[in-house]
Every structure is written in C-alpha cells, then in structure tokens.
Amino acid sequence: ERISAAMVPAATAVAATALLGGRARGVFRARLVGRMQQVVDLLRLQGVRLTPALEADLPGFEDAIAAMLRAGLVRSAEDPRGEILFFEESKLRALDFYRNSVVHFLAAPSFLARGVVAGREPEALRDEVTGWLDLFYTEFFTPRDEGLAARLDAFLEYFERSGWVVRREGRLAPTEAGRGPLRFLASQTRAVVEAYAATCSAILAAPPRALGQKDLRRAAEEQFARAVLLGEAERREAAHPVTFANAADLLVRLGVLERTPVGAQRDEEGEPGFARGARFDELPALRERLASALASG
C-alpha cells in the first residue's frame, strides 16, 4: 500500500491509461486529451502528486503526446474529422507497463463506474465496490481503511458534478453524456476481471485431479483465447502468466484450491501444483460473479 501510494504518475502513464481505456486501438486526439484530463482529475481528487512535467503539460498534453509519438509508442493518422492517435498491437505490452504505474489509483472509481452503469442502488454499490477491492486486493493494494467510504462518496460526487450520473427512484443511472466516461473508467479493471474469469473457467473444466502450475497456466491461456474469440474477453494484455498465477493464489486463499503437499507429485519445473480445496464448490458462484461484472461493463 505504501509503495502504491508513493507512486508519482508521469505523463506517459496517464496517456497510456487513456489509450487503453477504449475498445479500439485508435482515438481522436481531442478524445484522448479528454480522457487524460479525466484521469488527472481523479488523481487530484485523491491527493496524488503529479510529476512537474505532467503539471506543466496541462491542459492540452501536447508534450506527453509528442513524446509518445517520438518513442514510437503511438502513431498518428489524418482523418477529415481530426487527427487519430493509435497504437500497434506490438506496443500493447509496453503501454500496459506504463499504465500499471497508475491503475491502482483508478481501481475504486473503476468498480464504482461499473456499478453505476449497471444501475445499482447507492448503498448496494458501496458494498459491491468494497467487495471487489477485497477480492482484488493483491492486484491493486487499495487501502481498506475507515476512509474508503468517504473516498467512494467523493468519486460519486465527482461523477454527478461532471454530469455523468443521475439519481432515479433511489438508483444511480448514467446520463447519455456519462456513458462514455464511465465505460472508459470501468475498462481500467476489465483486464484483471477477464484473466480471473478465464482462470476460474479453466479450473472448472479441468478433470478432478491435481494440476501443475504450468498446466493451470496453459489451461487459463487457452480459455482466455476462446473467450476472445467469443467476444467475452477484450483486453488481450490480460493474458499474462503473472495475472493467471495471482488468480490461482487468490483461489488458494479462498480455500477453493489447495497447494499439493511437500513430497507430492510436482510439475515438470519442480513446482507444487494445485488440488481442489474444501471450498471448491464455491467456484461456480465466483465465476458467475466475474462474468456478470464483465457483462455490465
């Protein structure tokens, strides 16, 4: 938590976050600038310190975008409607690396935005977001202290002040103008949800015997690839061995899986594998919870 809180977001990280927040590889410059401003607003709302270069680059982010063009992280294309900034698939991992230095600051507002798009009631939404932050604690290390409720209220107030959210009959609903910004925010945590959903599905489809770590990772990768084909997964950067391993570790902590004991059969790399745990029967419900989150944003 302390390491995450001490991160000082740079312009490249903010730009990468803005680029990876959509479903397409390209975006008009004006929209990219708008997304970058949205990220900066949420960082400032949390009292996050920005680099001097990023502060000096507001509000147009010209230097940040120019630097990414020079580095080859993004390319430019002309269109009658305006300049398009886009990235090649080969740059996806690099952009994701930069985004990872800021995404933990966006975890809470991201899950909050997903709940708003789904039309949750305010109280239920706060509990839901807290549940997601608990589940993905070792991904984002979001502090779960007594100030969390106040921070969630501050994010909601920002959404309403920006004209993205209205309250209707006790529920929160996105406005027409708010759907884009809220879906952009919701997408910031989508990669992790997709990877964990693929891991859960792979384990449920596996025979009831111990799986080696390499076998589990391969099964999760194959499941993720099928989900991409079906349109169930969109964030290709999510298919990362570390994320699949983190998902398996979570299932061990939840008691869904257990590590094979010392002296038991190990995989070809000499690492212990995984067997079904005492709470394995809770796995289908967890997979459904993840799938529902993906369907709502």
Side-chain angles (χ1 to χ4, degrees), residues 1 4 103-104 107-108 110-111 114 128-144 186 188-200 238 243-244 246-251 253-254 286-287 289-291 293-294:
E1 286 185 20
S4 295
V103 71
H104 56 282
S110 177
F111 287 118
R114 180 176 286 107
E128 181 180 283
V129 173
T130 301
W132 285 122
L133 296 177
D134 284 342
L135 188 69
F136 293 118
Y137 178 72
T138 55
E139 290 287 347
F140 303 114
F141 294 100
T142 302
R144 297 168 294 179
Q188 299 303 328
T189 50
R190 185 178 177 94
V192 171
V193 179
E194 288 181 352
Y196 279 54
T199 304
C200 291
T243 311
F244 292 136
N246 288 346
D249 288 343
L250 169 67
L251 295 176
R253 292 196 300 275
L254 294 176
L286 175 58
R287 180 182 64 174
R289 178 183 175 192
L290 295 166
L294 294 174

Side-chain angles (χ1 to χ4, degrees), residues 214-234:
K214 189 172 183 180
D215 291 334
L216 178 54
R217 183 175 69 244
R218 184 184 300 114
E221 290 171 349
E222 292 172 353
Q223 179 62 44
F224 187 89
R226 290 191 292 271
V228 169
L229 291 176
L230 294 169
E232 297 168 350
E234 303 170 357

Side-chain angles (χ1 to χ4, degrees), residues 204-282:
L204 283 169
R209 59 175 175 79
L211 283 172
Q213 291 194 31
K214 189 172 183 180
D215 291 334
L216 178 54
R217 183 175 69 244
R218 184 184 300 114
E221 290 171 349
E222 292 172 353
Q223 179 62 44
F224 187 89
R226 290 191 292 271
V228 169
L229 291 176
L230 294 169
E232 297 168 350
E234 303 170 357
R235 315 306 309 189
R236 297 178 187 274
E237 69 272 20
H240 196 285
V242 172
T243 311
F244 292 136
N246 288 346
D249 288 343
L250 169 67
L251 295 176
V252 170
R253 292 196 300 275
L254 294 176
V256 171
L257 296 179
E258 60 182 23
R259 297 189 184 277
T260 52
V262 175
Q265 183 177 2
R266 293 169 177 256
D267 67 15
E268 56 205 72
E269 296 177 350
E271 295 292 336
F274 303 95
R276 294 187 174 188
R279 300 174 67 179
F280 185 83
D281 60 350
E282 297 179 13

Side-chain angles (χ1 to χ4, degrees), residues 34-275:
R35 289 177 180 175
M36 291 177 71
Q37 186 62 58
Q38 183 179 341
V39 173
V40 168
D41 287 346
L42 287 167
L43 294 174
R44 283 176 163 170
L45 194 61
Q46 299 171 73
V48 177
R49 185 164 58 93
L50 309 178
T51 62
L54 177 55
E55 290 276 14
D57 206 19
L58 297 168
F61 303 99
E62 288 91 351
D63 290 344
I65 294 172
M68 295 190 76
L69 286 166
R70 287 195 303 271
L73 288 170
V74 298
R75 296 178 62 186
S76 175
E78 291 301 324
D79 184 88
R81 294 166 294 176
E83 181 187 10
I84 299 173
L85 295 165
F86 68 98
F87 62 91
E88 302 286 0
E89 284 285 348
S90 61
K91 303 300 181 183
L92 181 57
R93 290 290 185 200
L95 290 169
D96 191 44
F97 173 81
Y98 285 112
R99 179 176 62 171
N100 282 341
S101 67
V102 71
V103 71
H104 56 282
F105 291 120
L106 301 179
S110 177
F111 287 118
L112 198 65
R114 180 176 286 107
V116 170
V117 171
R120 299 284 192 267
E121 296 177 354
E123 288 305 319
L125 179 56
R126 293 185 185 91
D127 292 341
E128 181 180 283
V129 173
T130 301
W132 285 122
L133 296 177
D134 284 342
L135 188 69
F136 293 118
Y137 178 72
T138 55
E139 290 287 347
F140 303 114
F141 294 100
T142 302
R144 297 168 294 179
D145 52 29
E146 62 277 2
L148 178 59
R151 291 194 297 273
L152 294 180
D153 286 342
F155 292 137
L156 271 180
E157 288 173 8
Y158 171 75
F159 292 172
E160 291 184 275
R161 192 167 64 250
S162 300
W164 301 342
V165 176
V166 292
R167 296 176 187 260
R168 294 174 182 160
E169 299 177 354
R171 290 180 177 272
L172 297 165
T175 64
E176 192 59 35
R179 289 189 182 278
L182 291 172
R183 290 194 182 279
F184 162 71
L185 272 180
S187 74
Q188 299 303 328
T189 50
R190 185 178 177 94
V192 171
V193 179
E194 288 181 352
Y196 279 54
T199 304
C200 291
S201 296
I203 293 169
L204 283 169
R209 59 175 175 79
L211 283 172
Q213 291 194 31
K214 189 172 183 180
D215 291 334
L216 178 54
R217 183 175 69 244
R218 184 184 300 114
E221 290 171 349
E222 292 172 353
Q223 179 62 44
F224 187 89
R226 290 191 292 271
V228 169
L229 291 176
L230 294 169
E232 297 168 350
E234 303 170 357
R235 315 306 309 189
R236 297 178 187 274
E237 69 272 20
H240 196 285
V242 172
T243 311
F244 292 136
N246 288 346
D249 288 343
L250 169 67
L251 295 176
V252 170
R253 292 196 300 275
L254 294 176
V256 171
L257 296 179
E258 60 182 23
R259 297 189 184 277
T260 52
V262 175
Q265 183 177 2
R266 293 169 177 256
D267 67 15
E268 56 205 72
E269 296 177 350
E271 295 292 336
F274 303 95

